[in-house]
């Protein structure tokens, strides 16, 4: 997860927590719900970033394995 993604998710989560707390304190159900939705969006951003990281790691592993295989073939041909 990039630093930028982490910051966006953390900001969205903090905003949601503050909004939900304000809604709870004032009895404003709509505000509270909107805050909870923002917290869920932050969780989704974190999940998406984690999936992106795992996909990149998998791709890097495939590239390394392919490169190693090519090197072994080249060594055998030499």
């Amino acid at each position: 997860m990039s630093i930028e993604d982490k910051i966006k998710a953390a900001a969205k989560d903090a905003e949601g927590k503050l909004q939900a707390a304000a809604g709870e304190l004032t009895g404003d159900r709509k505000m509270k719900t909107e805050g909870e939705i923002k917290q869920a969006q932050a969780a989704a951003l974190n999940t998406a970033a984690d999936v992106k990281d795992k996909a990149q790691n998998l791709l890097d592993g495939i590239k390394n394995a392919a490169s190693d295989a090519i090197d072994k073939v080249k060594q055998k041909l030499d």
Side-chain angles (χ1 to χ4, degrees):
M1 176 189 268
S2 73
I3 298 288
E4 205 173 278
D5 292 339
K6 287 181 183 181
I7 291 169
K8 286 179 185 177
K12 176 77 78 176
D13 188 54
E15 180 183 0
K17 285 180 180 177
L18 288 170
Q19 189 173 9
E24 180 74 29
L25 287 172
T26 61
D28 187 335
R29 291 176 128 181
K30 182 180 177 190
M31 182 185 290
K32 181 180 177 192
T33 301
E34 288 172 351
E36 290 168 347
I37 289 170
K38 286 179 183 176
Q39 290 176 65
Q41 289 171 336
L45 287 172
N46 281 322
T47 300
D50 288 343
V51 168
K52 180 180 171 184
D53 285 345
K54 288 179 182 178
Q56 185 62 52
N57 290 341
L58 179 61
L59 183 59
D60 289 345
I62 291 169
K63 285 180 183 177
N64 290 337
S67 179
D68 290 346
I70 290 169
D71 288 343
K72 287 181 182 178
V73 169
K74 284 181 180 178
Q75 287 175 356
K76 288 185 179 186
L77 293 175
D78 289 338

